[in-house]
Amino acid sequence: MNIDNNIFKNILNNKIKANIIYKDKYITAFDDINPKAPVHIILIPNIYIKNINHIDKSNIYLLGKMLLVSSKIAKFKNINKSGYRLIINCNKDAGQEINYLHIHIIGGKYLGNIICNCNKI
Ligand code: AMP
């Protein structure tokens, strides 16, 4: 797929509108267009990485920043005490729809104590 057609890349380039809630040199975060909970934010690196399979040692600082900013956003959104979930989907069995590494920050309601809703196998 041509990266120019990538939705998240186009949000970064201001070609697609999004409600940006955080931006710095390394990271951008915006509201998910189809929220699964009262708080549902997508956090992406400003450099293109297809998914978590495509990271290497040079990305360690960036990944640490992504987690640090996720926790700051959770605090800013006041879900840090009630609780929240960080999700990184990778490839089709996890349901990754957009080929651009991203963290879902989801909270604001009880999410259940299971890590996925897949059927028993
Ligand atoms: P994933 O299944 O992990 O690839 O998640 C992709 C997420 O991107 C889904 O939760 C979508 O609702 C969200 N999404 C798709 N298009 C947009 C958009 N234009 N702005 C914000 N979020 C989007």
Side-chain angles (χ1 to χ4, degrees):
M1 195 192 106
N2 184 346
I3 179 64
D4 292 338
N5 297 329
N6 187 285
I7 291 172
F8 291 171
K9 181 86 185 163
N10 282 319
I11 287 174
L12 274 182
N13 294 339
N14 296 315
K15 287 183 185 159
I16 292 178
K17 266 193 84 172
N19 188 32
I20 309 275
I21 61 150
Y22 179 89
K23 196 168 184 67
D24 69 17
K25 193 174 156 193
Y26 303 97
I27 288 162
T28 302
F30 47 88
D31 285 327
D32 194 292
I33 203 167
N34 181 21
K36 313 293 185 300
V39 176
H40 188 168
I41 291 160
I42 300 287
L43 186 144
I44 62 173
N46 294 341
I47 56 161
Y48 177 69
I49 299 174
K50 187 178 178 188
N51 63 39
I52 201 78
N53 285 338
H54 294 262
I55 59 162
D56 61 34
K57 273 188 184 166
S58 71
N59 303 126
I60 288 175
Y61 180 78
L62 174 65
L63 293 166
K65 278 285 257 185
M66 288 175 74
L67 288 177
L68 182 62
V69 171
S70 295
S71 78
K72 284 187 172 163
I73 289 173
K75 201 169 177 187
F76 172 70
K77 287 286 182 180
N78 206 23
I79 56 171
N80 56 317
K81 293 207 171 109
S82 52
Y84 60 98
R85 187 168 289 154
L86 304 181
I87 298 172
I88 299 176
N89 291 321
C90 180
N91 282 340
K92 82 177 157 49
D93 281 358
Q96 184 181 6
E97 287 171 4
I98 299 191
N99 283 324
Y100 195 120
L101 176 66
H102 54 282
I103 298 178
H104 295 254
I105 305 166
I106 302 176
K109 71 171 189 182
Y110 180 63
L111 301 170
N113 62 2
I114 52 171
I115 58 163
C116 76
N117 60 5
C118 43
N119 293 325
K120 276 189 184 163
I121 46 171

